[in-house]
Amino acid sequence: MKITDMRVHSIAIADPPLRSSYGLHAPYALRTILELESDDGIVGIAETYGGERPARALLDLRPRVLGADPYRLTGLLLPLMDGEGCGPARSQTHLVPGENPLDAATRTYAAIEAACLDLIGKSAGRPVCDLLGGRVREAVPFSAYAFYKHAGGGGEGDDARDDEYGEVLTPEAMVREVKQMIARYGFGSIKLKGGVLDPDIEIETMRQLRAEFGPDVPLRIDPNSAWTVDTSVRVGKALAAELSSGGYLEDPTAGLENMSAVRKQLLAAGLDIPLASNVAVTSFADLPRAIALDAVQIVLSDHHYWGGMRQVQHLARLCKTFDLGLSMHSNSHLGVSLMAMAHGAAATPHLTYACDTHYPWQSSEDEVVAGGRIPIVGGYVRIPERPGLGVELDYDQLARGRERYAKCPYRRRDDEAEMRKHVDPNWKRILPRW
Ligand code: GKR
Ligand code: MG
């Protein structure tokens, strides 16, 4: 089998005005859909970060992809995993995910890997998780990903979407948001995106969530490095009960040294609250130091930038070896990404927490998967027996996504600019803010 065509589609999807320490989501999130077609007419698909650079990076590989055997292509492209084109040093820059030039090569590699696995799976008649060693779970658990937000459902003008959750800028509104989300999707754990309001309001939000959902629903909070070491320790102590029993504190502060200081001070206070990360640890190169400093006890994997599903399996093995937990990070995405996340998770034994997903924030009007949105039932995505990722593209929907991209002014994610446009003309991302 040979790859005879490669198609790269830049699309835009409506995205509500969600807040984080990065700033504000724009009315459209950008994604790239990749298609690899074989000489026998089978098409493998993948979804990755959007905008100009990710699409360009994929197109630049075209000469190496066309004519290649999909069973061997990721082997040939392995230098990308070592940062080909990005330089050898890989570390976090605190840029929004998808805009970090240091992981551009692993992101490109991951998209090619996912499309090759889908193509191989469709050709062999086997689901992608079988190509990764077989499923260890039939269904993958996801958590409710709760965001503070402004009013609005995403999109603009005639293309504006319904605002399912309304404005959410208080603890009470957040409880309402999560109740709605759990009623609709059945999630069994909750992640609060913090780093937006004063930490005392976020502490109160977590307390109200615990009071509403009880101790059987694990809670996590992620301020994306917005806090000092002192604030992180103070919040950790204040939320000791809420973050126990399966919860965690995610990237409270910036940098491995600071994360390590938070960990030490919490332990000294008798609190073994695990620190999770998708900011301080984003690549294999970050692991030795993170482990030596005991800075991170749970790594948030993400096949989109760790270099694909197989690299996430390697990461899981390392985490197990070093007694670290493994969870999964997400960014605004559609169903192709969700299925790749789910297949990877299904074939990864050492996945110790429910995965994150932004999927509830995206609208069915934007889904490019044939048949519409992937069901999340009881908080789980079931892995189908269908070959490959188990999904095909709806080409009319894909064309609409391309049109939206052509019409909208966005070509990269810039949450800081959106804050300045809609909330505060002088807003800057400051780390730490509190
Ligand atoms: O969607 O604003 C967002 C999140 O803050 C996202 O960009 C983060 O990458 O989900 C993320 C996280 O866990 O840090
Ligand atoms: Mg995070």
Side-chain angles (χ1 to χ4, degrees), residues 107 125 154 157 227 229 246 277 326 400 419:
R107 279 187 273 123
W227 301 335
V229 170
S277 183
L326 188 83
R400 285 184 198 107
M419 272 301 275

Side-chain angles (χ1 to χ4, degrees), residues 15-354:
D15 202 23
L18 307 181
R19 290 281 301 273
S20 75
S21 86
Y22 293 111
L24 174 70
H25 283 212
Y28 293 98
L30 308 177
R31 302 295 285 167
T32 307
I33 302 291
L34 169 67
E35 292 185 277
L36 297 181
E37 184 166 347
S38 66
D39 48 0
D40 41 10
I42 301 172
V43 178
I45 58 177
E47 177 184 342
T48 186
Y49 290 95
E52 265 161 11
R53 274 181 293 199
R56 169 60 40 214
L58 283 165
L59 287 169
D60 285 349
L61 281 183
R62 216 179 142 79
R64 284 154 86 180
V65 171
L66 293 185
D69 176 344
Y71 285 88
R72 296 190 173 171
L73 179 56
T74 49
L76 296 174
L77 295 179
L78 259 181
L80 288 173
M81 271 309 299
D82 294 314
E84 185 190 276
C86 300
R90 294 254 356 260
S91 67
Q92 183 46 251
T93 61
H94 301 290
L95 297 171
V96 284
E99 296 296 337
N100 178 359
L102 300 178
D103 62 19
T106 50
R107 279 187 273 123
T108 309
Y109 183 87
I112 304 261
E113 187 218 52
C116 282
L117 287 174
D118 187 44
L119 179 50
I120 294 167
K122 283 173 175 159
S123 155
R126 304 300 297 246
V128 163
C129 60
D130 285 5
L131 309 178
L132 299 171
R135 66 189 78 190
V136 293
R137 46 185 76 81
E138 289 295 331
V140 173
F142 286 86
S143 64
Y145 200 163
F147 282 79
Y148 295 107
K149 68 181 280 293
H150 297 276
E156 273 179 326
D158 291 351
D159 191 40
R161 303 290 186 276
D162 288 343
D163 185 5
E164 201 178 337
Y165 297 98
E167 179 183 277
V168 180
L169 291 171
T170 62
E172 293 72 23
M174 184 59 80
V175 170
R176 178 176 43 75
E177 174 186 298
V178 178
K179 267 166 93 173
Q180 262 177 261
M181 209 179 256
I182 290 187
R184 180 155 177 198
Y185 299 99
F187 295 116
S189 53
I190 301 166
K191 161 161 165 168
L192 174 66
K193 175 56 56 173
V196 173
L197 304 177
D198 184 279
D200 287 318
I201 302 177
E202 298 192 350
I203 290 170
E204 177 58 20
T205 305
M206 289 288 280
R207 287 188 176 147
Q208 290 199 20
L209 288 171
R210 173 48 53 91
E212 178 66 35
F213 297 100
D216 294 339
V217 177
L219 297 177
R220 38 185 107 151
I221 181 166
D222 175 16
N224 286 112
S225 317
W227 301 335
T228 62
V229 170
D230 286 354
T231 303
S232 307
V233 172
R234 180 169 79 76
V235 176
K237 286 180 180 171
L239 292 177
E242 287 76 11
L243 295 174
S244 66
S245 50
Y248 52 75
L249 183 54
E250 183 174 325
D251 286 309
T253 193
L256 289 174
E257 280 71 18
N258 286 341
M259 291 280 282
S260 169
V262 172
R263 171 76 174 157
K264 280 199 185 79
Q265 291 185 42
L266 288 174
L267 284 177
L271 298 175
D272 190 2
I273 299 171
L275 302 187
S277 183
N278 63 276
V279 173
V281 174
T282 59
S283 71
F284 288 97
D286 300 322
L287 282 173
R289 192 147 176 74
I291 292 167
L293 290 172
D294 190 24
V296 169
Q297 291 70 51
I298 300 162
V299 178
L300 275 84
S301 63
D302 185 331
H303 78 274
H304 298 94
Y305 62 80
W306 276 85
M309 294 173 244
R310 283 181 287 218
Q311 298 299 328
V312 166
Q313 289 182 305
H314 293 318
L315 171 63
R317 172 57 60 187
L318 280 174
C319 285
K320 185 163 189 203
T321 307
F322 289 96
D323 204 18
L324 303 179
L326 188 83
S327 189
M328 191 184 281
H329 163 264
S330 87
N331 280 121
S332 311
H333 64 89
L334 293 176
V336 182
S337 274
L338 182 65
M339 288 315 297
M341 291 156 76
H343 275 271
T348 301
H350 185 70
L351 176 80
T352 55
Y353 293 89

